[in-house]
């Protein structure tokens, strides 16, 4: 039975009123779903564990002297609903490569999964970073333990989280992406982001039909308050999408974008779940998100001009911002061009031909059916063999977009 709109609205108010009247408080006694509950461990405060999930066979081992954390992982054969395990590590990235990850088999042998989860930038301090990797099934099939080690920087290891995952068949459009992990907030992580190796920077320009993916800065760059790019463009632009990854941006801070001295807006940062392993607290107790976050912004065509365009990024901080450096990487533009002007199909050197836009009568000897054949109705036309009278113009190449650093 269909309820009229006014009645359905009234019922909604009645049903929601008791919920709205109740105060929202944190209740530790509330039931917790345990089937896929993660195991969260803070090496600097190992007692800060709400409970140990049922799938963890024994207590984790924290050894500051060896600068390592070892977490036992049950065999997949004993977990019918679990297909993979994902390990997330939060740490202060000092540019030395970050913590390593190893696997200890049941026989005691060690296998290296990742030589370093951080950046290697000659000891340049980046700040709070986070990385997630999928533990290989060939290792977890028979059980063992995962070891996270940060030699010489163990105090910088702030969080280790092990999460069970299930596999699901997903259809993909296109052949350029290879997603491997989707978290609770529907954030998609690609295969080369969760294999424990450092992803290569997205360098170079790529054309896909009428869209050009152009590089601004693939390598890690600091935004020292303001950063400018010079973008030479030729052609008719329909729209541009700015995309980059940021690290160190405060949750209340923004990155303002200006194009040719016109303020476009602020980067739209990717959403996140509050129980994500990368969401933690800083020294003052404020929430921060560790690791790289994606930011995007649409740049309308009306702000672009042929020739050089000046794109400026400016970090806007709040009064409570601790002032930590903000870095970007894999910054680039997705530019969509309109169709290029069609070249005339008629040679300019032949004045006998009509101007472009006028109709050109077809020669009678090739397209017009002779009168006697019309009367007989016996003319046979082979539609599989095209009869080209005028050479079609070759499609003009898309203007090349060249991006340079200022």
């Amino acid at each position: 039975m269909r309820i009229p709109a006014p009645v359905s609205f009234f019922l909604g108010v009645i049903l929601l009123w008791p919920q709205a009247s109740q105060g929202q408080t944190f209740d530790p006694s509330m039931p917790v779903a345990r089937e896929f509950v993660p195991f969260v461990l803070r090496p600097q405060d190992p007692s800060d564990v709400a409970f140990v999930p049922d799938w963890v066979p024994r207590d984790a081992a924290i050894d500051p002297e060896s600068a390592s954390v070892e977490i036992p992982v049950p065999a997949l054969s004993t977990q019918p609903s679990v297909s993979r395990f994902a390990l997330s590590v939060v740490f202060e990235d000092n540019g030395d490569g970050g913590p390593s990850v190893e696997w200890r088999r049941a026989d005691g042998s060690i296998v290296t999964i990742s030589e370093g989860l951080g950046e290697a930038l000659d000891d340049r301090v980046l700040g709070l970073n986070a990385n997630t990797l999928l533990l290989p099934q060939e290792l977890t099939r028979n059980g063992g333990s995962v070891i996270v080690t940060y030699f010489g920087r163990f105090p910088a290891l702030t969080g280790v989280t092990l999460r069970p995952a299930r596999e699901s068949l997903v259809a993909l459009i296109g052949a350029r992406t290879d997603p491997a992990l989707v978290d609770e907030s529907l954030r998609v992580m690609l295969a080369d982001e969760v294999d424990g190796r450092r992803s290569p920077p997205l360098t170079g320009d790529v054309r896909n039909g009428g869209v050009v993916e152009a590089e601004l800065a693939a390598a890690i760059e600091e935004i020292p308050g303001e950063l400018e790019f010079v973008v030479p463009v030729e052609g008719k632009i329909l729209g541009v999408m700015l995309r980059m990854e940021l690290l160190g941006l405060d949750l209340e801070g923004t990155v303002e974008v200006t194009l040719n001295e016109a303020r476009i807006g602020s980067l739209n940062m990717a959403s996140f779940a509050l129980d994500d392993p990368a969401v933690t607290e800083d020294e003052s107790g404020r929430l921060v998100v560790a690791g790289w976050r994606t930011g995007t912004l649409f740049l309308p065509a009306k702000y672009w001009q042929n020739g050089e365009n000046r794109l400026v990024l400016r970090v806007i901080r709040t009064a409570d911002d601790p002032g930590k450096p903000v870095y970007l990487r894999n910054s680039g533009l997705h530019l969509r061009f309109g169709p290029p002007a069609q070249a005339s199909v008629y040679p300019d050197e032949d004045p006998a031909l009509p101007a472009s836009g006028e109709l050109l009568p077809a020669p009678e000897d090739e397209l017009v059916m002779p009168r006697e054949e019309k009367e007989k109705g016996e003319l046979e036309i082979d539609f599989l063999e095209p009869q080209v009278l005028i050479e079609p113009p070759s499609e003009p190449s898309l203007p090349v977009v060249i991006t340079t650093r200022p």
Side-chain angles (χ1 to χ4, degrees), residues 232-238 301 304-307 309 335-341 397-401:
V233 175
E234 294 181 4
K236 179 183 178 182
I237 285 183
L238 298 180
W304 291 88
Q305 61 189 19
N306 276 321
N309 295 265
L335 305 100
R336 178 162 180 168
F337 288 89
S397 60
L398 195 68
V400 178
V401 178

Side-chain angles (χ1 to χ4, degrees), residues 143 211 320 372:
V211 175
D320 298 331
E372 58 274 13

